[in-house]
Amino acid sequence: ARNLLEAIRDRDADPAGGDEHFRELGETRLKQGITADAMLHAWRILLEVVREEGHPVARQLGIGDDALLEFVEVTLRLGDYGMIKSSAAYRDTEIRELKQLAAEQAALRRVATLVTEDVASDELFSAVAGEVGALLGADYAGMIRYEPDPSFVTTIATWAAVGEDPPSPTRVRTAPGDPTAMIADAGGPARVDDWAGVPGP
């Protein structure tokens, strides 16, 4: 609506001002499972509604034909632009997700190959840490084993994106609220965005 009003006020307005919104729209529709065809159909419905309803509403509001024509022209122009940009963002996001899926499948195949070759466990665990770290775009990744004594975990593999793996203690004491305890308590993934208040080594 903002872009439309700006365009009506200024016929030379750059429709690229809404590019970020159009990109978000395309990415959101993909995450919601809405197909590209359905999204394009919705755009067409929107433009058709503007075309059909514009005239009777303009008459009710006392808006002249010149202003109505300008409104419809701008709506169609921006509608087409928005449809193109949203569709492009949808397509780009879909391609990124397909590439990510292909990368995950390739990583699984590499690990499965190591398993079938019966490599040593330390080599296998190092490979798993490396594959996960690379897939997540991490700087550092590691694998730990939870011991029967819940106050300790054992480091069994580490990986660094650049250079040598940083030194890591073999056996680490857990502390309530640290990442190892968070994962154990959750029974699954845990995320820390601010390490300032996280206890333990």
Side-chain angles (χ1 to χ4, degrees):
R2 186 200 66 219
N3 295 331
L4 183 61
L5 290 172
E6 286 178 351
I8 291 172
R9 186 180 59 194
D10 179 8
R11 293 300 296 262
D12 297 324
D14 182 6
D19 280 3
E20 182 66 18
H21 300 286
F22 295 136
R23 183 188 61 75
E24 289 179 6
L25 175 66
E27 293 178 356
T28 300
R29 293 299 178 262
L30 180 60
K31 290 175 185 173
Q32 292 171 332
I34 297 172
T35 67
D37 286 344
M39 188 173 70
L40 292 174
H41 186 59
W43 274 107
R44 293 186 191 103
I45 292 173
L46 168 67
L47 299 180
E48 187 65 18
V49 167
V50 169
R51 188 185 67 79
E52 289 182 355
E53 300 297 328
H55 213 278
V57 171
R59 279 201 307 269
Q60 291 173 3
L61 298 176
I63 296 175
D65 287 346
D66 290 346
L68 174 62
L69 179 60
E70 182 179 4
F71 171 77
V72 172
E73 285 178 351
V74 171
T75 301
L76 292 175
R77 180 164 55 87
L78 284 185
D80 287 343
Y81 182 89
M83 183 166 55
I84 291 167
K85 289 296 181 178
S86 297
S87 299
Y90 184 103
R91 183 200 62 228
D92 292 345
T93 305
E94 195 171 34
I95 290 171
R96 280 199 308 272
E97 291 190 359
L98 288 172
K99 286 181 177 177
Q100 177 69 16
L101 180 60
E104 291 171 5
Q105 292 298 320
L108 283 172
R109 280 194 300 274
R110 288 190 291 269
V111 171
T113 299
L114 292 176
V115 172
T116 60
E117 293 173 353
D118 202 24
V119 300
S121 58
D122 58 342
E123 182 182 350
L124 178 62
F125 294 149
S126 293
V128 171
E131 295 288 1
V132 170
L135 283 172
L136 296 177
D139 297 318
Y140 176 74
M143 186 183 293
I144 59 173
R145 179 177 64 231
Y146 286 85
E147 302 294 348
D149 179 355
S151 51
F152 286 96
V153 295
T154 300
T155 302
I156 58 174
T158 58
W159 169 87
V162 179
E164 296 182 4
D165 296 359
S168 179
T170 303
R171 203 159 185 252
V172 180
R173 179 180 289 278
T174 63
D178 77 358
T180 57
M182 290 169 60
I183 293 168
D185 292 342
R191 179 184 177 91
V192 176
D193 291 309
D194 182 5
W195 291 86
V198 176

